[in-house]
Amino acid sequence: DPRFGLNLAAPDYQDSFASDMTWVGPNFEGAANLWEDGHLRATDYLADTFIWWSTTIPDIEAGNVYVEVTAQPQSCSGKDSYGLAIRVDPAERNSGYILEFACDGSFRVRKLFAGSIRTLLDWRSSESIRPGGKETNTMGLLARGPRLIAFANGEMLAEIEDSSFAAGNYGLFANAADTPGFTVLFDDFRLWYLSP
């Protein structure tokens, strides 16, 4: 397990979304990222290719980390997806690495760079991901140097390498592909700092 040596019961930082002070928008006619009843509620109103992620406070910016968050998609189908981003550019907020889970039980890893998107690992199905709406999944993404390792519900999914981004912030999002108004509830954001 690439997480060997981490005390998974004691994260270095955690956010239970008990307040609305740690995550930032955006909120407009295309998407909404709002604190609601102890969750971050992310909604994508348009079924298109645009991603509008909510980013967290810059105090926990880091490069070598393991990050987890629980996600519960609401009504969805097909490739409606939700994601966890790491090493997000804290100034422009338009670059970073993304782990996405889809409603059909598949996942992929991509990177955004100044608005352009490159797929690092295309959609793959996994029995570790619970498909469908109202199902809760724990997303995990580990970054140590150029190594990126994806997890679902504590099980390793895949490992890839990319050296485009060394450090940054974090993001969460819903991405409607088939269902306009697709909504995801995020909870229990946790991270652990890793040695280089």
Side-chain angles (χ1 to χ4, degrees):
D1 189 330
R3 302 170 301 177
F4 178 77
L6 293 180
N7 181 354
L8 295 177
D12 293 305
Y13 175 86
Q14 57 188 346
D15 186 353
S16 64
F17 298 94
S19 80
D20 61 353
M21 302 301 293
T22 54
W23 294 81
V24 179
N27 302 297
F28 67 114
E29 64 275 7
N33 295 277
L34 303 169
W35 176 84
E36 178 182 280
D37 297 327
H39 297 91
L40 177 69
R41 182 182 185 92
T43 301
D44 188 3
Y45 293 113
L46 304 176
D48 56 24
T49 60
F50 292 98
I51 291 175
W52 302 101
W53 57 34
S54 180
T55 55
T56 192
I57 54 175
D59 307 45
I60 54 172
E61 179 181 335
N64 295 309
V65 292
Y66 174 60
V67 182
E68 283 188 347
V69 70
T70 59
Q72 184 188 70
Q74 304 304 289
S75 297
C76 63
S77 64
K79 288 293 190 270
D80 290 329
S81 63
Y82 47 100
L84 164 65
I86 64 170
R87 295 182 177 175
V88 175
D89 181 331
E92 300 297 327
R93 301 177 189 255
N94 62 357
S95 301
Y97 295 114
I98 296 172
L99 171 63
E100 289 176 84
F101 289 1
C103 192
D104 64 7
S106 60
F107 74 97
R108 69 179 171 185
V109 179
R110 298 193 291 170
K111 68 176 176 180
L112 270 65
F113 182 71
S116 66
I117 300 177
R118 180 179 170 201
T119 299
L120 300 177
L121 181 69
D122 211 352
W123 290 116
R124 291 187 185 180
S125 294
S126 173
E127 294 183 357
S128 298
I129 300 172
R130 301 178 188 102
K134 303 294 185 178
E135 294 289 343
T136 299
N137 285 292
T138 298
M139 311 180 75
L141 193 53
L142 184 147
R144 178 179 272 128
R147 297 176 66 203
L148 302 171
I149 304 172
F151 293 84
N153 301 308
E155 299 294 325
M156 182 175 163
L157 297 173
E159 177 177 349
I160 58 177
E161 289 197 8
D162 189 89
S163 57
S164 299
F165 313 120
N169 215 309
Y170 311 90
L172 301 170
F173 65 89
N175 186 24
D178 301 305
T179 309
F182 172 54
T183 296
V184 180
L185 302 179
F186 290 101
D187 201 358
D188 298 324
F189 178 88
R190 304 184 298 167
L191 70 79
W192 294 258
Y193 298 117
L194 309 179
S195 57

